[in-house]
Amino acid sequence: MLVSTYILAVLNMTIFIVSFFMIMNKKGYVYQYKFECRYILTSIFLIFTIIMGLGFGTAYLQEILRMFLAIYLICKIFYKINTRKSIVSSVIYSLVYILVGGSIFWFVQISIIKVDYILETTLISSTIIFMTSIYFYNRLENIYKDKKYYLYIALTTLINLLIILFINKSFADIGDLYEMVVKNNVDFYYVSDMLKFSATIKETFPYLLFIVNILLISIFLNSIKSEKEKVKSEFVNEKLDMQYKYYIMVKDSQEKMRQVYHDMNNHMENIKSLKNSSEDVNKYINNIEDEVKGTKNIYNTGNVLLDIILHEKSKVCMENNIDFNVGIDFRKCDFIEMIDISSIFSNLIDNAIEACNKIDDNIEKYITIKSTFIKGYYVVRCENSKTNKVIIKNSKIFTSKKDKFLHGIGIDSIKSSIKKYNGELKIKDSESKFIATIHIPVE
């Protein structure tokens, strides 16, 4: 009997580990194994964990710790997943496996229908549940993504109802126990059933309470995150909308300036015809100067909106004594929408201007933004001088800005825009300069 129980416990732990590998495969993770010390030691620990087995109905602390550690090492070593995600995966998967197995075991124990092979029934039932879930994993994942909040609420409600039922049943059993003690009315089978139910409460209650708390915390955190993302998105869209409207508004005046600039030869002829009247000549020249003022930096990138953006930013750079160097060819990028052009280039240059404005006047201030086409990619490189300290962590930038919530909005806006075109943003920082490089695939 003990030998068969041990064999079933080993099978139970084997299914626990194998099922996790199958889930990771379904999720698209690539398994890696090398003949290195860490891989070999992890394999030895997994074999040891399987040999120790996993019991039914009860889960001792040592077993739970071995389960957590086994899944954590699989994630960390074999699948190269980061520490935080590995811990979360190990805790959630292990608890779910324990809860499913324990629930089946105690349901069979206290069921009206008498089952002779309780351990075998539990193992087969839990295996069927997990294998079915793995087979339909993609479909279940889609349901979870679409209805996760409803599932959280349904599971939380169900678990709370079970807890209420357990409490009511326990209260009724206490009354029956009083009858047994006072009236000496002992029924062996009834006592046996009551002890089984008490054991069920003892073994399943902690997991039920733990899971219901996780669900409630998950709902709370997801609500906060969703609301924060919504506010952030609204702020980004509002900013982009304002920028876009502004650039469209100045387009007409810019076109007029361009016309004056290109018609300079005609103006020269008119001046020559007025050479005998110095007063008229001076007046005419002054009028031209007023119209041409500010048209020093005329850009021809192949996109009108981008030309306007560069022109406006160049004026800001002139006012702040920043050397602004531009070399952009945008002629093959018609697929990029106007609002994304505004988002990408306005935020790139705004961030660079902000960094330059923190530099002392005795240090050179410069911004160089250039683009080129390399091996099917449109590459934009923006470099600027700086002195402020920048910390880059997990592709996020942390600077000296006091407003932690609004900080990084510009970078997030750039990432949001280039993500539409399967592009990526790379950031490089040194003591005296900051470089942001954008790669967007071009057909």
Side-chain angles (χ1 to χ4, degrees):
M1 181 66 180
L2 290 175
V3 174
S4 62
T5 302
Y6 171 71
I7 292 171
L8 289 171
V10 170
L11 283 174
N12 195 20
M13 183 62 82
T14 304
I15 291 166
F16 167 74
I17 292 174
V18 170
S19 295
F20 186 75
F21 277 107
M22 293 173 70
I23 289 171
M24 296 299 282
N25 182 56
K26 271 283 188 178
K27 292 173 75 173
Y29 285 96
V30 179
Y31 171 84
Q32 295 181 10
Y33 191 89
K34 299 176 183 177
F35 286 99
E36 296 177 2
C37 183
R38 55 181 177 168
Y39 289 94
I40 294 169
L41 289 175
T42 302
S43 301
I44 291 170
F45 177 77
L46 292 178
I47 293 168
F48 169 76
T49 303
I50 290 171
I51 291 171
M52 293 299 292
L54 176 62
F56 298 88
T58 58
Y60 299 106
L61 181 61
Q62 298 91 328
E63 286 181 331
I64 295 171
L65 291 176
R66 282 200 302 271
M67 293 168 75
F68 285 173
L69 187 55
I71 300 303
Y72 172 79
L73 290 173
I74 290 171
C75 292
K76 192 73 176 172
I77 305 299
F78 294 150
Y79 291 102
K80 306 292 183 184
I81 298 173
N82 63 54
T83 302
R84 178 180 167 277
K85 205 168 182 180
S86 297
I87 292 171
V88 172
S89 298
S90 65
V91 170
I92 291 175
Y93 177 73
S94 300
L95 286 176
V96 168
Y97 194 89
I98 292 169
L99 183 62
V100 171
S103 299
I104 294 170
F105 176 82
W106 291 109
F107 177 78
V108 173
Q109 277 273 41
I110 64 175
S111 63
I112 299 172
I113 303 170
K114 187 172 178 59
V115 180
D116 293 328
Y117 301 98
I118 294 174
L119 300 186
E120 291 84 346
T121 304
T122 302
L123 182 61
I124 293 169
S125 300
S126 61
T127 303
I128 291 171
I129 289 171
F130 273 89
M131 291 303 162
T132 305
S133 299
I134 292 168
Y135 182 79
F136 293 105
Y137 180 82
N138 294 329
R139 191 178 297 178
L140 292 172
E141 188 178 36
N142 291 331
I143 294 171
Y144 171 77
K145 286 178 180 178
D146 295 336
K147 307 289 184 183
K148 61 181 177 181
Y149 292 114
Y150 295 107
L151 289 173
Y152 288 157
I153 293 168
L155 286 171
T156 305
T157 305
L158 178 63
I159 290 171
N160 277 293
L161 286 173
L162 288 173
I163 291 171
I164 292 169
L165 290 173
F166 281 164
I167 292 171
N168 289 334
K169 182 75 167 70
S170 299
F171 184 77
D173 286 346
I174 290 172
D176 292 334
L177 183 62
Y178 175 79
E179 290 274 330
M180 290 164 53
V181 173
V182 174
K183 298 182 180 179
N184 200 24
N185 183 19
V186 179
D187 185 338
F188 173 76
Y189 293 106
Y190 180 76
V191 172
S192 176
D193 290 340
M194 190 171 68
L195 289 173
K196 287 179 183 178
F197 183 78
S198 299
T200 303
I201 293 176
K202 176 180 176 296
E203 298 300 334
T204 57
F205 231 70
Y207 304 123
L208 288 171
L209 290 173
F210 187 79
I211 288 176
V212 75
N213 282 308
I214 287 178
L215 289 172
L216 290 171
I217 291 168
S218 297
I219 294 170
F220 180 68
L221 292 178
N222 276 304
S223 298
I224 293 174
K225 186 178 178 182
S226 176
E227 193 62 31
K228 188 176 180 180
E229 289 297 325
K230 182 181 176 182
V231 172
K232 196 174 183 180
S233 177
E234 287 176 355
F235 181 85
V236 171
N237 290 332
E238 186 179 348
K239 183 182 178 184
L240 290 177
D241 191 50
M242 289 173 63
Q243 288 177 338
Y244 180 69
K245 286 179 180 178
Y246 170 72
Y247 290 129
I248 293 300
M249 183 179 67
V250 300
K251 179 182 175 182
D252 293 337
S253 61
Q254 289 292 320
E255 287 297 331
K256 185 178 179 182
M257 289 180 176
R258 285 166 181 267
Q259 191 63 42
V260 172
Y261 181 81
H262 288 296
D263 288 346
M264 193 59 70
N265 287 331
N266 294 330
H267 290 306
M268 293 300 103
E269 290 297 326
N270 292 334
I271 290 171
K272 287 177 183 178
S273 67
L274 295 170
K275 62 183 178 180
N276 294 326
S277 176
S278 59
E279 186 178 345
D280 291 339
V281 169
N282 290 335
K283 191 186 225 178
Y284 190 76
I285 290 173
N286 288 335
N287 288 335
I288 293 173
E289 283 180 348
D290 290 338
E291 285 192 71
V292 177
K293 197 181 227 177
T295 62
K296 180 181 176 183
N297 295 324
I298 299 295
Y299 300 98
N300 185 22
T301 62
N303 183 276
V304 175
L305 178 60
L306 183 53
D307 293 344
I308 295 170
I309 292 171
L310 294 173
H311 178 79
E312 293 299 312
K313 300 305 178 186
S314 70
K315 289 198 294 185
V316 177
C317 289
M318 287 176 64
E319 292 170 2
N320 291 277
N321 298 317
I322 301 170
D323 187 14
F324 189 56
N325 305 299
V326 178
I328 293 180
D329 181 2
F330 205 75
R331 287 172 295 180
K332 296 180 183 178
C333 299
D334 294 338
F335 61 92
I336 299 179
E337 295 178 7
M338 295 182 77
I339 197 164
D340 295 318
I341 294 170
S342 174
S343 168
I344 293 166
F345 288 95
S346 293
N347 285 299
L348 269 181
I349 300 170
D350 283 344
N351 288 345
I353 291 172
E354 185 180 353
C356 288
N357 284 336
K358 294 177 182 177
I359 300 173
D360 296 333
D361 291 333
N362 58 342
I363 300 174
E364 181 189 7
K365 301 178 184 180
Y366 73 89
I367 297 172
T368 301
I369 182 166
K370 294 185 177 181
S371 71
T372 186
F373 294 90
I374 302 175
K375 296 181 179 179
Y377 283 88
Y378 180 61
V379 182
V380 180
R381 185 179 186 273
C382 183
E383 177 183 328
N384 62 269
S385 55
K386 74 170 190 70
T387 55
N388 63 311
K389 188 177 181 182
V390 175
I391 300 170
I392 302 172
K393 187 176 180 182
N394 296 329
S395 299
K396 291 187 178 292
I397 299 176
F398 300 87
T399 66
S400 57
K401 285 187 179 179
K402 293 180 181 179
D403 195 329
K404 298 296 181 184
F405 177 70
L406 296 181
H407 169 67
I409 288 289
I411 294 295
D412 287 344
S413 180
I414 294 169
K415 288 180 179 178
S416 176
S417 290
I418 63 177
K419 188 179 179 181
K420 296 180 187 177
Y421 313 100
N422 298 317
E424 64 174 337
L425 172 67
K426 293 183 178 179
I427 294 167
K428 188 177 179 182
D429 176 63
S430 66
E431 188 175 346
S432 60
K433 64 183 178 182
F434 182 87
I435 301 171
T437 308
I438 292 171
H439 296 80
I440 298 175
V442 180
E443 293 183 1

